[in-house]
Amino acid sequence: MGKDNHPSAMEIDDPKSANSDQIVPKFSINVLQLLKSAQMQHGLRHGDYTRYRRYCTARLRRLYKSLKFTHGRGKYSKRNITESTVTDVRFLHVLLYSAERAWSHAMEKRQLPDGPNARQRIYLIGRLRKAVKWATLFSKLCAIKADSRTSLEAEAYSSYMKGNLLFEQDQNWDVALMSFKSARAVYEELGKYGDLDNQVLCRERVEELEPSIRYCLHKVGQSNLQTSELLNIGDMEGPALDLFKAKLEAVMAEARSQQAASMTELNWLGHRFPVSNAKTRVAILKAQELEKDLHGSSADSTPSDKKLVIFDKIFSAYHEARGNAENVKDDLHGLDKAVSAMLGERTIERNLLLVKVAKSKLARRRDDKNDKVTKPEELVRLYDLLLQNTADLSDLVSSGRDKKPEEVSFADECACKTLAFRAERCFYVAKSYSVAGKRAEAYALYHHVRNLAEDALRKFKSLNGDYKNMIKDLEELCKQCRSNSCIEHALGIMEENKDQENISERISNISLTGAERLEKFLLDKLDVYESAVGDSNVKCAPRIASFPPPFQAISRTPIVLDLAYNNIEFPSLESRMKKQKGGFMSRIWG
């Protein structure tokens, strides 16, 4: 990038004075805007703290080099930044990026796959202490060398770092609460002034600090916040919330561990499987808690994207439970079978959600985000997946020898769902044939779908259980099949009549000489309002222009034939030609 002689997002209020008795100019740094831009451009948009830490390191290296503030060659010699040292605004940037590097390093350790162990957590807290040290020094020097706004932002940044350290240490919750509240108060005041972008950034930071404040109030005992409400707070996004999310996940994991101590067996379809592995119990409890979010009272208002994220977490929990259960020898097959069956049920629910989303897109034909056309073939593929999932689940349930009544009824339910999925798949196959203009095939398939749907309806009504939604969908499918078959029948008759008219027209275009009279191209009949593309259901090449274009005769310059050239006698030019002189040998040999 070169040397940063005039860094961005910083400015000096007054030019430097040549006289020493004048007022020393105050530096100005838009701290929040500078950090937000750097974080979003260098990894934190996707939660990549390693990339952001490397950027901070490279940025510090460039600042040290441009300021000629290096720490020796070979042997490290410490150089402190004091009030007398800060003669350039870039010295304040050194302190700010040093705090950011330490903070991002701590967050990188926090995001390890299995979480930080005891030794890594000590190192994590050490990096947060280092971030607090740099942030405090940055705030102290900004109060002396910078203007009032920069000083306020630096104070809010320092308070935020102190709150993060105490938040991670699980101690002094009242002090952490005061730190977060102090930062929030500063950003609320700064959000009332400045340009629109700065006001938006300040309001976003206030919203990011709110969950941490509510959690501290919960720990202090000044709030009646429930665990479910804490989980809803954790759904917010932002780099400032990553530490809060990690802490919340650790608290939930601890609560699950305590709850798992009382869980000794897993009930599934009348069977009771002992669960002796503690990690397996915790994973199963995590999956069951996430399932409550999908089937709770607020499930209807939950958007589809959020539901898909919850399904991914459920799959991860069940896979973790299976992986831990494989190490248990007592009653291994039964427990693994039960967990696999629950995983299969959630997979079917996830694919049904994808079907629902695809149907809504097919109804409006266009996606709002990227205008992607949703085709019936996509629903055919999804129903193929559902049929495969149902077959796998049915095979898994029916693999045992001694079947209980619950397993028999579950197998019957899988058979009915398979029939319903076959009807739905066949319906969208018929739709794809209809789009292609194949009326006879679509008409026959709609009749077949109606027979399958009626058969599935009879079987669902004979089962004991709550299948109102499935029965309602199948009844709607029967109505759609009836209407679509009538439409295909009518369109087929219309196209047949139109084909006869086209044949009559083509016969009338045949001349007695045997040469076929072709229709004119679009460029030849621009004065006539007539389509040159033809029927959309019939595949034929549009007659827009003749290509390649035919040859046309054009005029050119005449060819002049010189007939007198062969009868002219030209004079001899030998006298003017240069004679060649021969040597001694040429005279001898002539």
Side-chain angles (χ1 to χ4, degrees):
M1 290 185 179
K3 294 183 178 181
D4 298 333
N5 294 328
H6 301 284
S8 60
M10 69 183 83
E11 54 188 26
I12 299 178
D13 293 337
D14 298 320
K16 290 185 178 180
S17 175
N19 300 325
S20 61
D21 57 347
Q22 291 185 357
I23 299 175
V24 179
K26 296 287 186 177
F27 300 117
S28 177
I29 306 175
N30 198 334
V31 179
L32 185 59
Q33 186 176 359
L34 178 66
L35 293 182
K36 197 73 174 180
S37 176
Q39 289 172 358
M40 292 297 104
Q41 292 179 12
H42 299 92
L44 292 199
R45 185 185 298 273
H46 310 290
D48 190 354
Y49 285 94
T50 303
R51 180 184 167 193
Y52 183 61
R53 177 178 62 83
R54 290 172 180 171
Y55 163 74
C56 292
T57 303
R59 178 70 173 159
L60 283 171
R61 188 184 301 114
R62 291 194 300 271
L63 286 171
Y64 282 134
K65 189 175 180 181
S66 63
L67 290 169
K68 297 181 180 179
F69 195 72
T70 55
H71 298 80
R73 302 185 63 179
K75 185 178 179 180
Y76 178 81
S77 59
K78 185 177 181 181
R79 300 181 66 181
N80 296 323
I81 299 178
T82 60
E83 179 183 349
S84 59
T85 309
V86 181
T87 57
D88 194 312
V89 71
R90 287 174 290 177
F91 283 102
L92 298 178
H93 276 246
V94 169
L95 300 175
L96 182 60
Y97 280 105
S98 297
E100 283 290 291
R101 179 176 64 174
W103 171 76
S104 59
H105 201 175
M107 296 303 297
E108 180 185 350
K109 295 298 181 184
R110 165 56 73 185
Q111 285 193 333
L112 291 174
D114 297 330
N117 53 31
R119 186 173 181 179
Q120 291 170 341
R121 192 170 185 278
I122 293 173
Y123 182 77
L124 185 154
I125 293 176
R127 297 309 298 170
L128 285 178
R129 284 199 184 99
K130 185 70 72 173
V132 171
K133 171 191 170 184
W134 288 114
T136 304
L137 182 58
F138 174 68
S139 175
K140 178 182 176 182
L141 293 180
C142 282
I144 302 172
K145 292 288 186 177
D147 58 6
S148 57
R149 180 184 177 87
T150 304
S151 178
L152 275 176
E153 285 200 65
E155 184 181 350
Y157 181 75
S158 176
S159 299
Y160 169 68
M161 284 298 174
K162 290 177 184 176
N164 283 338
L165 174 61
L166 297 173
F167 197 91
E168 179 62 32
Q169 287 179 330
D170 283 338
Q171 60 186 10
N172 297 329
W173 289 104
D174 51 349
V175 181
L177 178 62
M178 292 302 298
S179 299
F180 285 130
K181 280 187 174 182
S182 175
R184 183 182 66 177
V186 172
Y187 287 123
E188 284 178 349
E189 289 298 320
L190 293 176
K192 299 176 182 178
Y193 309 101
D195 55 359
L196 182 60
D197 293 339
N198 184 72
Q199 292 180 16
V200 171
L201 287 176
C202 290
R203 289 170 187 167
E204 288 179 355
R205 180 51 64 96
V206 169
E207 292 177 359
E208 291 175 357
L209 288 172
E210 193 65 30
S212 300
I213 293 173
R214 295 180 67 183
Y215 186 79
C216 290
L217 287 172
H218 175 69
K219 297 296 288 187
V220 171
Q222 300 179 10
S223 173
N224 295 325
L225 207 61
Q226 301 297 326
T227 306
S228 59
E229 296 178 1
L230 286 174
L231 290 174
N232 294 331
I233 296 174
D235 293 335
M236 299 172 65
E237 297 293 336
L241 289 170
D242 289 339
L243 188 62
F244 169 75
K245 290 180 180 179
K247 178 63 65 177
L248 183 61
E249 184 62 31
V251 172
M252 295 303 297
E254 183 179 356
R256 290 190 200 103
S257 300
Q258 295 176 357
Q259 187 179 357
S262 60
M263 178 183 177
T264 57
E265 57 186 12
L266 176 66
N267 297 326
W268 177 75
L269 293 182
H271 292 280
R272 293 185 176 183
F273 303 104
V275 185
S276 57
N277 193 333
K279 292 183 177 180
T280 303
R281 292 197 295 265
V282 171
I284 292 174
L285 284 174
K286 181 180 179 181
Q288 291 176 351
E289 289 177 1
L290 291 169
E291 288 174 2
K292 293 178 183 178
D293 296 336
L294 291 175
H295 305 109
S297 57
S298 61
D300 295 335
S301 60
T302 306
S304 301
D305 296 339
K306 186 177 177 180
K307 286 184 178 180
L308 292 175
V309 173
I310 296 175
F311 273 119
D312 291 337
K313 294 179 180 179
I314 291 174
F315 296 156
S316 176
Y318 277 128
H319 283 302
E320 183 181 355
R322 290 190 63 190
N324 294 325
E326 288 174 357
N327 299 325
V328 184
K329 295 183 179 180
D330 50 342
D331 208 4
L332 171 63
H333 179 70
L335 181 60
D336 183 70
K337 175 183 175 181
V339 174
S340 300
M342 290 188 288
L343 179 61
E345 290 182 76
R346 301 293 87 77
T347 304
I348 292 175
E349 291 180 7
R350 194 274 307 269
N351 289 337
L352 284 173
L353 177 61
L354 293 176
V355 166
K356 182 180 179 181
V357 173
K359 283 183 179 180
S360 63
K361 291 181 180 179
L362 184 66
R364 61 177 182 261
R365 298 296 298 174
R366 290 281 178 181
D367 190 2
D368 296 336
K369 295 181 180 179
N370 51 9
D371 290 335
K372 181 181 177 182
V373 178
T374 302
K375 298 180 180 180
E377 288 81 357
E378 297 180 14
L379 282 158
V380 173
R381 181 183 60 82
L382 288 174
Y383 276 111
D384 283 333
L385 290 176
L386 281 169
L387 287 170
Q388 183 63 42
N389 298 145
T390 310
D392 294 341
L393 185 59
S394 180
D395 293 341
L396 186 65
V397 172
S398 59
S399 60
R401 294 183 179 179
D402 298 331
K403 295 183 181 180
K404 293 198 172 185
E406 291 86 351
E407 290 180 302
V408 175
S409 61
F410 189 81
D412 294 338
E413 180 184 347
C414 289
C416 293
K417 285 184 177 180
T418 301
L419 196 58
F421 294 154
R422 283 181 57 198
E424 293 276 2
R425 179 187 179 278
C426 190
F427 176 79
Y428 288 101
V429 171
K431 268 193 170 299
S432 62
Y433 273 107
S434 177
V435 172
K438 299 181 179 180
R439 307 299 175 192
E441 291 84 349
Y443 179 78
L445 283 172
Y446 280 130
H447 274 285
H448 184 57
V449 171
R450 190 174 179 183
N451 294 332
L452 290 174
E454 290 175 351
D455 191 11
L457 264 175
R458 286 193 298 270
K459 290 188 177 181
F460 268 113
K461 289 179 180 179
S462 64
L463 293 177
N464 296 324
D466 186 13
Y467 303 107
K468 293 180 180 179
N469 293 331
M470 189 67 72
I471 291 175
K472 182 180 177 181
D473 293 340
L474 288 172
E475 289 175 349
E476 184 65 25
L477 183 63
C478 290
K479 294 178 182 179
Q480 290 183 4
C481 288
R482 186 176 182 279
S483 59
N484 286 338
S485 60
C486 294
I487 292 172
E488 294 299 326
H489 191 192
L491 289 175
I493 293 174
M494 291 172 60
E495 290 177 2
E496 185 178 0
N497 294 334
K498 192 172 183 179
D499 290 340
Q500 293 177 358
E501 293 176 1
N502 292 336
I503 291 173
S504 302
E505 186 178 354
R506 290 176 183 176
I507 292 174
S508 63
N509 290 335
I510 298 176
S511 63
L512 296 176
T513 58
E516 185 178 357
R517 187 176 64 191
L518 297 176
E519 296 181 4
K520 293 183 179 180
F521 291 100
L522 178 63
L523 294 178
D524 299 332
K525 51 180 181 180
L526 293 176
D527 55 338
V528 181
Y529 189 78
E530 185 178 342
S531 175
V533 179
D535 192 356
S536 60
N537 296 324
V538 180
K539 294 183 179 180
C540 60
R543 297 181 63 79
I544 298 175
S546 177
F547 187 84
F551 289 103
Q552 295 181 0
I554 60 173
S555 60
R556 58 158 300 166
T557 57
I559 299 175
V560 180
L561 300 178
D562 196 352
L563 303 177
Y565 178 78
N566 296 328
N567 298 325
I568 296 176
E569 294 183 0
F570 296 97
S572 177
L573 300 176
E574 293 181 357
S575 59
R576 298 184 181 181
M577 295 175 62
K578 188 176 180 180
K579 295 182 180 180
Q580 296 180 356
K581 294 181 179 180
F584 175 76
M585 297 300 295
S586 63
R587 290 197 298 270
I588 294 176
W589 297 102

